[in-house]
Amino acid sequence: MGLSARGRAATTTWVATIARVATVGALGVAMVALYVFAIQEAPKFLIDEDVFGEVAAEHKLTAVHNARLAVISIGGALVVAVGLLYTARNYRLAHRGQVTDRFTKALERLGSDELYVRIGGIHALEHVMRDSPQHHGHVVKVLVAFIRERTPRRADETPTNERWMHPPIGTEPPELPDEPPADVQAALTALGQRPTRPRRERNQIDLSRLHLTKVNLANTNFGNVNLDGADLRKARLWDADLRRVDLLKADLRNAYLDGADLRNAYLWEVDLREASLQSTDLRGAVLTGADLRNALLSGADLREVSLWDADLRDARLAGADLRDAQLAGADLRKADLRWADLRDAHLSGDGPLEVHRQGADLRGAFLQDAKLDQGFSLPGSDSSEDSLGSGSKPPGEPFVEGREASEGVSGE
């Protein structure tokens, strides 16, 4: 009578186990034999025979003893090294298991109905991300999915019944919140404070077209993140790292971006009306078609920035650095450009500071004490001292101390 499948499997497993034990035993015996042989024959390999034959008998005995002792010491060191390697391996496996267990428990908390439990799960994931580089990418994906699931879509681009991924059952979709809920804010903060490990983030973080009004991302790192079409009105983004961020057609009205790093950011047709960008670094940013009406840009670094067809009417640009900026087609009517540096700026497509029908419109712009190329004159602009009020910027004082101060300085 033949064996059952289970019996055959058990027999195969038993045979394989015996084979492994026999192999390990044979290797152990061989290593012990080799070790004993090395101890026995050590004097032949470690002692010079010519010198050994000339020394006294008592010294020969000491030399033989020292040679064998050296081999024993080497063998002991090898055993200790193997033990340390084995211990380190066990520690790594145990640590990986503990981190995986923490990761699993944190995921379970994210699905809780209690707000404080979800926030605790987010903080647990943040700790996992910091402690384990191997879990970095997984935690980022989970946090992004959590944010996208619990954040409505931008109102003016999405039908009412599609703004929420999971609207309440049996009721109308709720109104859009004035600010992100506490758990979403915690997840965004965890993302913005993640360790810098570019190789662990293979895909760009996608937070596009989300409703994130009044979100607090100050002093965070959201560089190279996709925020295209996001509603970021009144967002707090001061001193944030936003290098190479994608903000195509995003709504940043009344947002606070003072001191933020927006180098090489993509801000095509972004809405920055009445936003505060004082001392912001915008070098190399693309602001083509952007709406910057009444924006605060005092002391901003706009070198080599692209402002093609941008609307800068009534913008406060006092003390801004606009060297090598592309301003062709920009509307700078009534903009405050006092103490601004416009050297080598391009106001048309034909060369630096050439104004014609396709050039920038600076009618009524304030250009007092602005740094311009030699011999530059701008028809329609107002650089007379009578129209500008004060004669020069007081030394040592900041360009603007706030929106109210800027309105007072601009003379409007």
Side-chain angles (χ1 to χ4, degrees):
M1 184 175 178
L3 293 173
S4 64
R6 181 177 298 180
R8 288 195 298 272
T11 302
T12 303
T13 303
W14 181 74
V15 171
T17 302
I18 292 178
R20 284 197 297 270
V21 171
T23 301
V24 172
L27 287 174
V29 171
M31 291 179 66
V32 170
L34 181 63
Y35 184 54
V36 172
F37 176 77
I39 294 174
Q40 182 65 32
E41 301 296 325
K44 295 181 179 179
F45 298 102
L46 298 178
I47 300 175
D48 190 337
E49 294 183 359
D50 296 334
V51 176
F52 188 71
E54 298 176 358
V55 298
E58 61 271 15
H59 295 303
K60 289 182 180 179
L61 184 62
T62 302
V64 170
H65 172 75
N66 290 339
R68 289 174 176 168
L69 183 61
V71 174
I72 293 172
S73 300
I74 293 171
L78 290 174
V79 171
V80 172
V82 171
L84 289 174
L85 290 174
Y86 184 75
T87 302
R89 176 179 176 275
N90 288 340
Y91 172 78
R92 285 196 301 270
L93 292 174
H95 178 70
R96 185 181 300 175
Q98 292 174 359
V99 173
T100 302
D101 185 57
R102 289 163 55 194
F103 181 73
T104 303
K105 290 180 178 179
L107 289 180
E108 294 173 355
R109 293 180 184 178
L110 293 184
S112 173
D113 294 331
E114 298 292 340
L115 176 63
Y116 70 92
V117 177
R118 295 197 298 272
I119 294 175
I122 290 166
H123 289 310
L125 282 175
E126 185 178 6
H127 289 303
V128 169
M129 181 168 51
R130 292 185 180 279
D131 295 342
S132 174
Q134 290 79 13
H135 287 78
H136 181 102
H138 303 301
V139 173
V140 169
K141 289 180 181 178
V142 169
L143 291 175
V144 171
F146 180 85
I147 293 166
R148 295 199 67 87
E149 181 179 356
R150 293 189 173 270
T151 306
R153 303 302 176 261
R154 181 172 168 173
D156 58 355
E157 293 188 356
T158 311
T160 303
N161 59 349
E162 297 179 7
R163 292 175 189 166
W164 295 83
M165 183 175 290
H166 299 292
I169 300 175
T171 64
E172 291 295 326
E175 294 295 327
L176 295 177
D178 291 334
E179 59 184 11
D183 52 352
V184 173
Q185 178 62 68
L188 286 164
T189 302
L191 269 182
Q193 295 177 348
R194 67 192 184 284
T196 304
R197 297 178 184 133
R199 294 184 179 179
R200 298 287 178 179
E201 297 176 19
R202 297 183 180 180
N203 300 319
Q204 186 182 32
I205 295 174
D206 185 8
L207 299 175
S208 60
R209 297 177 178 81
L210 296 182
H211 177 79
L212 294 168
T213 55
K214 293 185 179 179
V215 67
N216 185 2
L217 300 177
N219 295 292
T220 57
N221 177 13
F222 275 84
N224 201 32
V225 172
N226 182 6
L227 285 162
D228 290 346
D231 190 344
L232 292 160
R233 286 174 293 167
K234 297 184 179 180
R236 286 160 283 181
L237 291 156
W238 52 74
D239 296 321
D241 187 346
L242 298 168
R243 286 174 290 178
R244 299 178 301 279
V245 68
D246 288 329
L247 283 161
L248 172 69
K249 296 184 178 180
D251 192 344
L252 283 153
R253 284 175 287 173
N254 298 106
Y256 302 95
L257 291 140
D258 304 301
D261 190 345
L262 280 153
R263 282 177 289 172
N264 300 307
Y266 190 70
L267 300 153
W268 189 290
E269 295 184 1
V270 69
D271 193 341
L272 282 160
R273 282 176 286 175
E274 299 186 7
S276 182
L277 297 106
Q278 297 184 90
S279 302
T280 301
D281 193 343
L282 285 152
R283 283 176 290 172
V286 177
L287 284 150
T288 303
D291 193 340
L292 288 149
R293 283 176 286 174
N294 290 296
L296 269 172
L297 290 151
S298 304
D301 194 338
L302 292 155
R303 282 176 287 172
E304 299 181 0
V305 71
S306 177
L307 284 160
W308 291 72
D309 300 320
D311 193 341
L312 286 149
R313 284 175 289 175
D314 297 297
R316 279 72 168 172
L317 289 150
D321 192 340
L322 285 151
R323 284 176 288 173
D324 293 302
Q326 299 289 339
L327 291 157
D331 191 341
L332 285 150
R333 283 177 287 177
K334 295 185 179 180
D336 185 356
L337 288 159
R338 285 177 287 181
W339 312 297
D341 194 340
L342 283 154
R343 287 174 293 180
D344 297 317
H346 295 255
L347 296 177
S348 75
D350 297 332
L353 295 170
E354 295 181 11
V355 180
H356 49 69
R357 286 178 300 175
Q358 286 76 36
D361 189 343
L362 289 116
R363 284 176 290 175
F366 302 106
L367 288 162
Q368 181 180 0
D369 294 327
K371 295 179 181 178
L372 307 170
D373 285 344
Q374 186 175 5
F376 170 71
S377 62
L378 189 63
S381 66
D382 192 348
S383 59
S384 63
E385 191 164 326
D386 293 336
S387 66
L388 295 171
S390 60
S392 61
K393 178 175 72 68
E397 291 192 8
F399 297 113
V400 178
E401 290 292 344
R403 190 172 301 281
E404 295 80 4
S406 175
E407 290 174 354
V409 172
S410 64
E412 294 184 331

